[in-house]
Structure formats: structure tokens, C-alpha cells
Amino acid sequence: MPSIAPMPELGEATVPLTSFIRPVHRHYFSGRPERPNYRLRRYDFSGTPAVMPLVRAFLDTCAADRSTDYRYLFTLLGSELANNAIRHSLSGHPGGCYTLLVHRHRDGLHLTCRDRGGVRRDDTHLEPAPHGLNLAAESGRGLAMVDAFASDWGDNGRADFRSVWFHLAFDLTGSQWEASSIDA
């Protein structure tokens, strides 16, 4: 009997993250304030943690004409909403996606994260974990950070197709973030 050659192991396929960016939207991820007077930016992201570097690049570019502290904080809070969409909704299941919408206002940036919901059955508004800012906590810090550092935040209270938003004032009014220098 002839011997059968063993099946070769399949390796991982890798593709550059830039292949997930539609050419018309490349400027959304440049990190430069080339179009600082936009009113609205919207992008749909795949519900996988592998694209989080793209999410952070998108958020950083949306705030590119602001101070370093502002850019960092906006990107941090937006990343938390994106991570929550992946971890706590159907957006993180195979084939899932979520949408980030950034509205530029005269006094700050407003970010909305729309996910596919579906994990919870009852409509209810989100609340941060009571001890979420405790550094020893293993989870529950995301919404607690949004609550502490955003100027304002909320959600639509729906279990399906949830929208969570925050507003971050350019001068950080209403935020507990202590910036050493906020320059516009």
C-alpha cells in the first residue's frame, strides 16, 4: 500500500490593515488635519479586535487639529466604545460590524458608536460599574472612564441596535481629565 503524505499545516493569512480602508476614505486614517473643518465622518468597522489599530487611527485623525491631550482622550474614549461593541454585542460575532459617527460641533466632537446589540434582551440604559475606576478591577472600567472623562455621554437604551455616544468639549468642560495645557 502506498503511503499517504501528511497534510501540510495551514499557516495564517495576513493582509495589511490598509486593505480594509476604502480608497475614498483614506484621509480618515492619515493622522493629519488635512480636512479639519469636516462636519461628519462615518465609518463601518469589522467587529474584530484585529482592526482596532484602524479604529484608533480614525479617531486620532478626527481630532488631529486639537492638542495632544485632547487627541489622546478622544481616541481613548472612542476605543472604549468600539471595544464594548465588539465584546458586548452581536457586532463582535463572525460577520458583525459597528459604525462610528463623528460630528464636529463648534464646541467639541460628538462620537456615536452604533452596534448590532442583541446580547441583552431588555431595553435599559447603560450605567458604569460602581467601582470601575478602581485600577485593581478586572473589568468594567470602560464606561466608568467615559463617564469620568467625557463632557457628556449616554445611550439610546435599546437592547437591539444600541447607540452609545459621548461629547468631548474642546476645552474639556465637564471632564475630570486634568490637562496640563489645552491649546485649541
Side-chain angles (χ1 to χ4, degrees), residues 68-83:
T68 303
D69 273 352
Y70 189 92
R71 285 175 80 164
Y72 173 80
L73 190 54
F74 185 77
T75 302
L76 174 71
L77 299 179
S79 296
E80 286 299 329
L81 295 188
N83 276 318

Side-chain angles (χ1 to χ4, degrees), residues 119-184:
V119 175
R120 296 181 181 192
R121 294 177 186 232
D122 298 328
D123 289 348
T124 182
H125 288 283
L126 299 174
E127 292 185 25
H131 302 291
L133 293 180
N134 178 352
L135 296 177
E138 290 189 26
S139 65
R141 285 185 287 243
L143 278 183
M145 283 194 316
V146 172
D147 185 49
F149 299 137
S151 300
D152 195 15
W153 77 279
D155 71 288
N156 65 352
R158 293 183 54 191
D160 59 336
F161 299 104
R162 184 172 298 275
S163 290
V164 183
W165 61 269
F166 72 83
H167 177 78
L168 188 61
F170 289 139
D171 64 1
L172 299 184
T173 298
S175 173
Q176 294 179 30
W177 186 263
E178 293 184 22
S180 55
S181 64
I182 301 297
D183 50 82

Side-chain angles (χ1 to χ4, degrees), residues 21-41:
I21 301 172
R22 294 184 284 281
V24 70
H25 293 122
R26 289 202 193 278
H27 65 282
Y28 283 11
F29 301 88
S30 70
R32 295 186 309 268
E34 61 212 31
R35 298 180 185 180
N37 296 320
Y38 68 90
R39 295 277 184 226
L40 170 70
R41 285 191 175 165

Side-chain angles (χ1 to χ4, degrees), residues 26-118:
R26 289 202 193 278
H27 65 282
Y28 283 11
F29 301 88
S30 70
R32 295 186 309 268
E34 61 212 31
R35 298 180 185 180
N37 296 320
Y38 68 90
R39 295 277 184 226
L40 170 70
R41 285 191 175 165
R42 173 194 167 141
Y43 208 79
D44 299 326
F45 291 93
S46 173
T48 176
V51 299
M52 283 307 293
L54 284 180
V55 170
R56 287 188 288 276
F58 172 79
L59 295 166
D60 183 64
T61 302
C62 287
D65 65 333
R66 308 314 300 177
S67 71
T68 303
D69 273 352
Y70 189 92
R71 285 175 80 164
Y72 173 80
L73 190 54
F74 185 77
T75 302
L76 174 71
L77 299 179
S79 296
E80 286 299 329
L81 295 188
N83 276 318
N84 284 350
I86 293 169
R87 289 188 69 197
H88 303 295
S89 81
L90 294 176
S91 293
H93 291 209
C97 67
Y98 58 94
T99 302
L100 295 181
L101 295 136
V102 178
H103 286 90
R104 182 180 197 83
H105 297 281
R106 189 177 320 129
D107 65 335
L109 296 178
H110 183 96
L111 174 79
T112 302
C113 180
R114 294 181 181 164
D115 66 42
R116 292 180 50 202

